[in-house]
Amino acid sequence: MAAGRTRLVGLLEEPPTPGQAPRVLGVDEFAFRRGRRYGSILVDVEAGQVVDVLPDRTSETFAAWLTAHPGAEIICRDGASSYTKAIKEAAPAALEIADRWHLLQNLSDAVE
């Protein structure tokens, strides 16, 4: 059976959403449809499991999720300013750290 990434994204099932955020929360954007529609994926970094999928990558949506699901002590994110804004607004006590992929990408760019 042939399947492209759009077909596979369409097969994703919504994970059960916990009432509280995991201690170490990862957030990153992904494309539902490249160049047209983006979402945010939230991951329990310690367990390596998807916690939730948000319909967009706006600071308002992520801040609302953080407000409804308190408890994240560390938030691992990319450099998107919308995620920074949401964290400062809804989880100011959480420690923000850059994710591994972006750290390596920045290091690689600096070396080149």
Side-chain angles (χ1 to χ4, degrees):
M1 176 167 115
R5 69 176 165 259
T6 17
R7 171 76 176 133
L8 295 175
V9 168
L11 294 174
L12 288 176
E13 294 180 17
E14 186 174 337
T17 306
Q20 184 172 341
R23 189 180 79 82
V24 182
L25 176 68
V27 60
D28 204 356
E29 61 187 22
F30 71 97
F32 284 109
R33 185 163 179 127
R34 191 171 298 237
R36 295 189 181 181
R37 189 167 158 240
Y38 291 87
S40 298
I41 187 165
L42 307 177
V43 177
D44 180 336
V45 174
E46 293 175 311
Q49 296 180 334
V50 174
V51 174
D52 206 349
V53 176
L54 304 180
D56 57 40
R57 57 184 175 181
T58 65
S59 62
E60 294 81 15
T61 301
F62 185 42
W65 192 93
L66 287 170
T67 301
H69 304 86
E73 296 174 19
I74 301 169
I75 301 177
C76 181
R77 61 169 186 79
D78 67 6
S81 61
S82 61
Y83 296 144
T84 301
K85 181 180 175 190
I87 294 165
K88 288 187 186 326
E89 178 184 318
L95 176 65
E96 290 182 67
I97 60 172
D99 64 35
R100 187 178 338 180
W101 189 91
H102 287 91
L103 280 175
L104 292 173
Q105 182 67 31
N106 291 344
L107 176 61
S108 174
D109 290 346
V111 169
E112 286 182 14

